Amino acid sequence: MRGFELVHPGSLAEAIALLDTDDDRVRPFSGGTALMLMMKTGVFRPSRLVHLGRIGAAHAAIAAGPNGGLRIGAMATLTAVEHSADVIRVAPVIAGAMKRLANVRVRNVACVGGNLAHGDPHMDLPPVLAALGGRVAIAGPQGTREVAVEHLFSGYYETVLGRGELITEVELPSQRGWTSAYLKCTTRSADDWPALGVAVSLRRAGGVIAEARLVVSAATEKLTRLAGAEAALVGAAADGTAFARAADAAVAEVELVEDARGSADYKAQLLRVHLKRALAQAVNDGAVS
Amino acid sequence: MTIHRPLPAGQVGRSVPRLEARRKVTGRAEYVHNLVVPGMLHTKVVRSTVPHGRILSIDTAAAEALEGVYRVVTADDIRTVVPDPWYGPAFHDQPVLAIDKVRHVGEPVVAVLAEDPYVAAEAAQLVVVEYEPMEPVFDEIEAMTSTAVVHEVLKPAGTFPDLKHLVGRRDTNVALDYRLRRGDVDAAFAAADRVFEHEFKTQQVMHTPLEPMVSLAEPGDDALTIHTASQSPSFVRIEIARLLGWPENRVRVKVPYLGGGFGAKLYIKLEALVACLALLTRRPVKWSLTMEEQFYTITKHASTFRIASAVKDGHVTGRRCEVFWNGGAYADIGPRVTQKSGFTAPGPYDIDNVAIDSYALYTNRPPAGALRGFGIPQLVWAYESHTDLIARGLGVDPVAFRRRNILREGRPQATGTVLRDAAIEGVLDDIARRMDWDKPFDRGSGTTQRGRGIAVGFKASIAPTTSVAIVNVAADGSANLYLSTVDMGQGSDTAMAQIVAETLALRTEDVKVVHPDTDVTPYDMATLGSRSTFHAGNAVKLAAEHARDQIEALAKSLGLPPGSNYGPADLFKKKYGMQAGNIIGVGTYIPDYKSPAPETGLSDNVTPFWMVGGTGVEIEVDTETGHVRILRMVNACDVGRPLNPKIVETQISGAALMQLGFTMFENMDLDGGQVTNASLADYKIPGMHDVPDEIESLITEAEQHSGPYGAKGVGESATFGVSPAIANAIHDAVGIRLTALPLSPEAVFRALREAEGNTGTDAK
Ligand SMILES: Cc1cc2nc3c(=O)[nH]c(=O)nc-3n(C[C@H](O)[C@H](O)[C@H](O)COP(=O)(O)OP(=O)(O)OC[C@H]3O[C@@H](n4cnc5c(N)ncnc54)[C@H](O)[C@@H]3O)c2cc1C
């Protein structure tokens, strides 16, 4: 790694202008925890880093909406999210996931936007936010647009973000009546990247599951919504039989990737077990009011 | 648990806080990584991309053309300063830079020099090396018979008499074959009621010192100074002097603190290349490895162990051991591991008839050497898993079965050396008592099944080795200790200062330990194999006693009656009329030793002391996923008398946790000789959350009569029992037996499914 340019734009527009280039060695830099690792190993050799620090404060707010939703600025640090009273009230599953996400030092500087934009399928926040129905607000040279978190990823370490585009905010719909859980499964050290992440959100009405959003990550090339498993749940009572049916459907519908953390076969077993456990946990923990 | 009372001066037996603790936490401790010297160049090496191949061409033009590159160096350049640039502690088999062929992925082939390390790194990528691939061999069993030969001819170093018979041997990958024959093994097997036979495997892992290896060489006038993160400064000096054909005193080796060693930084590693580069360029040269590069530098032996036992009337009457050590491309100290560990392969049991064959094998993997335990954890893994299986096969409680067969004080071990001061039974008893082994145990329910397991192991010390120490008492009575023992985090500075303080009746905190500098501190074989407390400790005690005797003689010469309360400061003043002078005490220690007979492997004095360690665990298995959670771990060791109980306890827990990583998940993933997880992101070591829910470190009541103040080494002992104790507990919990490390959740899960007669993973 040799010299590169580090710029500190003072406004979002300036940052976007600085990023609006064909040079793929130009990238935004928020907490830098992911970028620095790539730079150290030589996977990424920047020509220019656009540091978002000076515009951070304007895009770091975390606030509950009037109808049970939540907005999280892309530049909010993971620590800020972890300790936010609004997050703990509206979507406690996010705060819970933080406890085993990296470590205090990383969480103190890493930002929500970086966690999402990195495109690494092993990250914890994307599946949780996707299961909560989250959408990201994106600003770029052509203006602003919104994308559901579940559609943000186009492949392994790939997102749908275009040239010059920045994530500015995550917005969650109303969580009232929903109940959620996230399980992360490691197969080597406790702080290893997960072999599997499973995030589930359920809304029950009239004694049956009315809506379900189930997401698998880490064991798949990119985070994947489990439509078949969701269909197996909707209209059924929230019990072990339904959960087992959903688990079978999940294993049947996703392509699992073999790696040093486990074979595809084994990950299928982990998915089956952890999806059932996550569903049970979500039901036991009760719905957000 | 401190069971020993401090000695009279109150220094030995006291949990003195680490002398360097404050320096370390305030960032003031010196490390080679922080050392910057005027005019210094950095080097980055170009590493082999093939596991075995002939070098066809090396094109350095593009690298040399890069702005900021000072020079690019190949083996041809190295030969202009060292005509025969092959080094190594047991075999002179490792070239400073690859000559003609490469033997493992990651082998250094070319060195690039620049003032800016990033320029050197970039230029290294521009060097093009062409190879003609040769057939590789990776597996230790295949290496026994493969047509792929890693070294055409064996080149043992002259230093070890027991390697002489290997000189000039050709076309073999067997670097050393150690054999031991005791009693009549065939007869024992023929007469047995039952015979048990198993094979166990361990994987290749790495030391992962958090300070990667680093060395800096400074050329002088007909001299060379090497600052290096080394565990063996004296060896480095001798080996560099040998390579250069210089007298020892022109090579100066200095070692500050180390950020962990664990055996990785032993003998000679980066020093040969930086020495050559400094002489070639006449400038200081620094080589700092990245964490990734360490995986290609030195590792722990993967191994296969075939073990068979003859059992008659509940006693093990015969044991056959065949051990195959995967030494990788260069011998390093592997042949010593093969022999020194080989002879304890039957375990701490009283067995009359024993046959051992232990083979050091060359393969095209990254080299393997010493790692905390020096081969013993691989052996204990096998013999304690095997012993447990025998007990289960006989329907006997595993602890009761061990007690029945255990090697007791005064009985001969496999080599014929009689066991003295080795509390094997004491360790076993301490663990069993602490775990309430005789009481009922909660076995869990449903998908959570619980079990417990126990294992003990022992180790001979490396012998014969020498340590020298100097104690310098100043005119005010304060003392400096000059010693080449390296404090790499194990607390040796503090323990050695305690020995001086106890002997001279000083406060430990008032003894200053001078760090290794071969121009100043005397010879020490190396800081390895838990030898320092015993060997260097004995030398330090002798040096302190020598100083004390001189102080007493001084008092006598001044006409003072014995026991008068004049302190050393008063004596100096009385003698010299002012605060002046020194008293220098010198101590040299080498224990008695008898080399094993070549034909039988027997010797009645094979080690100066025995290390003993054991582990008991209570675990929980998630039968749906195979995850194992360690609820409780009890480690007990015979450390003789603990010089510093607190340091001993942290050595015990540290060793056990390190071995826990090697047991549960650490694994170098190899693909065609390439390590595919050579980084801390992908090679996982234990973190805080992997520490068992409860962990205890027990110091078993013992005394090493030949040790300094009754002490002996402790750095490795708690590694011994960890792996088999956990495998035994898994067996106890869910009835499956794993015979290969690591004990991954997937391995547990697959074995569970297999036991249910369903090899797929689809079962609910
Ligand atoms: C030791 C360690 C352990 C970790 N463990 C975990 C873990 O357990 N779970 C987990 O989920 N993660 C873990 N991580 C990853 C960590 O969460 C991410 O590195 C972090 O969230 C990335 O955020 P950042 O702000 O540092 O991103 P940066 O490194 O600054 O950027 C990451 C990527 O996103 C881009 N980017 C940054 N901000 C934006 C934006 N606003 N819009 C568009 N693109 C942007 C950058 O250009 C870059 O490509 C770990 C990291 C480390 C170092």
Side-chain angles (χ1 to χ4, degrees), chain A residues 27-38 52 74-75 78 100-103 106 109-118 122-126 161 165-168 184 191-194:
Chain A
R27 282 217 202 170
F29 183 101
S30 54
T33 57
L35 274 180
M36 295 289 272
L37 281 184
M38 299 206 303
L52 304 180
M75 291 297 292
L78 302 185
R100 272 190 69 199
L101 192 158
N103 54 54
V106 170
V109 292
C111 298
V112 171
N115 194 286
L116 287 164
H118 195 44
H122 301 98
M123 298 274 191
D124 293 307
L125 268 193
L161 292 173
E165 283 190 324
L166 282 171
I167 297 175
T168 54
K184 161 177 182 167
D191 65 359
D192 190 9
W193 295 106

Side-chain angles (χ1 to χ4, degrees), chain B residues 480-562:
Chain B
N480 277 4
L481 170 63
Y482 296 78
L483 186 71
S484 292
T485 294
V486 176
D487 197 327
M488 48 193 165
Q490 84 279 35
S492 58
D493 280 4
T494 310
M496 297 300 172
Q498 284 179 267
I499 293 174
V500 173
E502 182 68 40
T503 312
L504 296 179
L506 296 171
R507 260 174 22 109
T508 301
E509 290 81 349
D510 295 336
V511 177
K512 182 178 173 190
V513 182
V514 178
H515 275 179
D517 172 348
T518 57
D519 269 11
V520 178
T521 56
Y523 176 87
D524 179 65
M525 184 264 180
T527 306
L528 62 78
S530 307
R531 67 174 288 283
S532 298
T533 297
F534 182 86
H535 293 81
N538 266 323
V540 167
K541 184 159 180 271
L542 288 170
E545 285 168 354
H546 185 210
R548 188 192 58 200
D549 292 348
Q550 293 175 70
I551 292 169
E552 280 168 12
L554 177 61
K556 208 167 153 202
S557 75
L558 294 170
L560 298 167

Side-chain angles (χ1 to χ4, degrees), chain B residues 741-759:
Chain B
L741 295 180
L743 309 175
S744 70
E746 181 163 358
V748 173
F749 176 75
R750 285 187 180 281
L752 279 167
R753 285 297 172 269
E754 215 166 291
E756 284 172 15
N758 178 350
T759 46

